[in-house]
Amino acid sequence: AKQRGRNHYHFYTQDINAQTYRHLMLENELSRALDRDEFQLHYQPQISLATGKVEGLEALVRWEHPEKGYLNPGHFIPVAEDTGLIEQLGLWVVRRACADMNRLETTGLPVPRMAINLSPRQFRQADLAAQYAAIISDAGIQASQIELELTESTIMQDIDKAVEIFGDMQQLGFRLAVDDFGTGYSSLNQLKHFPIHTLKIDRSFIRGIPQDRDDAAIVKAIVAMAKGLGLEVVAEGVEARHQLDFLKGLDCESVQGFYFSRPLPYDELCEYLQASESV
Ligand code: C2E
Ligand code: CA
Ligand code: CA
Ligand code: CA
């Protein structure tokens, strides 16, 4: 038994080593990727239910890896977060997003608003709000055109800190959104302390509507609660007509999801915006 135990231990460490190795490889490649300009932003439209128009875009980062092709953020954001590279990447994201907002405007396809994701480490980054504000004003974009998204669980990790940072961001004029709402166990009582504009209902609840009675009840309750607090609501992950119809019956402002569009590279976004304008 002892022998077997040792073998297990052996395999276990090999596993860990392989994992650490992969992690280190990725870490090296990531810092090079910033220098080599291998990141891209894709944009997913947010549609107003009242007008049917695009009222905002969410910027979602992609890595065009020289050998592995397109990598989604789930593959590299956690490593970037561990190593601190996320801070540099985050600055790049804001610059790129502002530049593309300007390009869209020049092309005659202006969008009112851009949503940008912040991970927990960025959230705790000293002076993040001031750094972003400087980048945005250099680009000639108003802070009120930028909505910073933080997940509910990030906020709940340190509520006092979150209230403080949100206060700074609000003073600089940014809009603030709670992402993946419904998954982070916040209470109404806590939410009312935050200067937020938008709740984004997590797509795990949208998936089941309207057939799943629990999901339907939860989505209904979130929308009603948001209204009571004077917040806007975005439903994430809308993939089908019946989901959209259910949301139209509620007082939900906007929707985002594959039903309308997947996240698009800049050129395809322009085509999408052109097509949706001529409707
Ligand atoms: P998120 O902020 O919740 O972004 C929404 C994710 O859902 C995106 O995945 C999007 O492609 C996907 N999605 C959109 N509509 C649908 C739909 O109808 N059905 C389904 N099944 N999925 C849909 P993506 O692009 O892989 O991003 C994953 C996560 O990575 C994001 O989740 C966000 O937390 C993070 N992320 C993305 N870009 C950035 C960034 O620039 N900075 C930071 N810190 N995090 C980012
Ligand atoms: Ca988001
Ligand atoms: Ca989300
Ligand atoms: Ca999510």
Side-chain angles (χ1 to χ4, degrees):
K2 219 173 187 177
Q3 187 61 41
R4 201 150 91 227
R6 205 174 291 144
N7 274 340
H8 271 149
Y9 178 72
H10 182 67
F11 285 126
Y12 180 69
T13 36
Q14 261 189 345
D15 236 38
I16 296 279
N17 286 339
Q19 219 178 317
T20 310
Y21 179 71
R22 268 198 305 274
H23 197 283
L24 281 172
M25 285 290 290
L26 203 57
E27 193 180 321
N28 279 329
E29 290 174 343
L30 263 175
S31 60
R32 246 184 333 187
L34 268 167
D35 297 334
R36 294 186 184 174
D37 211 17
E38 290 171 1
F39 293 105
Q40 292 178 19
L41 288 183
H42 285 187
Y43 298 103
Q44 188 173 40
Q46 300 179 325
I47 316 291
S48 155
L49 280 183
T51 65
K53 289 202 161 134
V54 176
E55 57 173 9
L57 301 172
E58 180 175 1
L60 294 156
V61 70
R62 303 287 180 261
W63 179 7
E64 201 173 359
H65 191 282
E67 291 114 42
K68 295 172 195 153
Y70 265 112
L71 296 180
N72 280 329
H75 283 96
F76 60 88
I77 291 277
V79 179
E81 177 83 7
D82 280 354
T83 57
L85 274 170
I86 191 73
E87 299 188 1
Q88 257 178 287
L89 181 59
L91 295 172
W92 178 86
V93 168
V94 180
R95 273 190 215 106
R96 178 83 261 167
C98 287
D100 282 342
M101 273 184 104
N102 282 330
R103 275 210 283 171
L104 286 171
E105 172 134 33
T106 315
T107 319
L109 298 166
V111 285
R113 196 184 300 157
M114 178 71 75
I116 289 174
N117 291 285
L118 294 182
S119 59
R121 180 152 181 165
Q122 293 174 281
F123 189 47
R124 291 189 303 269
Q125 188 177 334
D127 295 335
L128 174 125
Q131 280 189 45
Y132 279 23
I135 292 174
I136 283 156
S137 99
D138 278 352
I141 303 281
Q142 307 288 318
S144 60
Q145 293 174 273
I146 304 291
E147 186 159 84
L148 301 174
E149 296 192 1
L150 272 144
T151 66
E152 189 187 16
S153 44
T154 303
I155 294 166
M156 290 305 134
Q157 274 166 26
D158 188 345
I159 297 170
D160 294 337
K161 186 84 185 158
V163 171
E164 182 194 319
I165 297 174
F166 273 30
D168 292 347
M169 290 171 167
Q170 188 204 28
Q171 273 202 326
L172 290 165
F174 290 106
R175 289 174 59 97
L176 300 165
V178 181
D179 204 354
D180 300 351
F181 186 76
T183 59
Y185 311 104
S186 60
S187 74
L188 257 182
N189 212 22
Q190 291 164 327
L191 264 187
K192 74 178 184 209
H193 298 302
F194 289 100
I196 46 180
H197 299 83
T198 307
L199 287 189
K200 298 190 78 178
I201 307 178
D202 192 69
R203 70 162 182 269
S204 58
F205 302 109
I206 304 302
R207 198 177 296 137
I209 56 172
Q211 307 92 334
D212 185 294
R213 286 170 70 186
D214 294 337
D215 286 348
I218 290 168
V219 170
K220 240 181 173 163
I222 292 176
V223 174
M225 179 196 81
K227 294 291 106 182
L229 291 169
L231 302 175
E232 290 185 21
V233 192
V234 178
E236 291 194 295
V238 176
E239 294 181 352
R241 182 73 213 208
H242 58 268
Q243 296 169 333
L244 178 63
D245 289 340
F246 179 82
L247 291 163
K248 277 185 175 162
L250 307 176
D251 205 5
C252 175
E253 269 95 8
S254 24
V255 283
Q256 193 183 333
F258 295 166
Y259 180 76
F260 297 94
S261 172
R262 64 191 170 82
L264 300 170
Y266 182 83
D267 290 341
E268 287 178 50
L269 172 71
C270 286
E271 287 165 26
Y272 180 92
L273 292 173
Q274 234 137 27
S276 64
E277 244 190 3
S278 57
V279 173

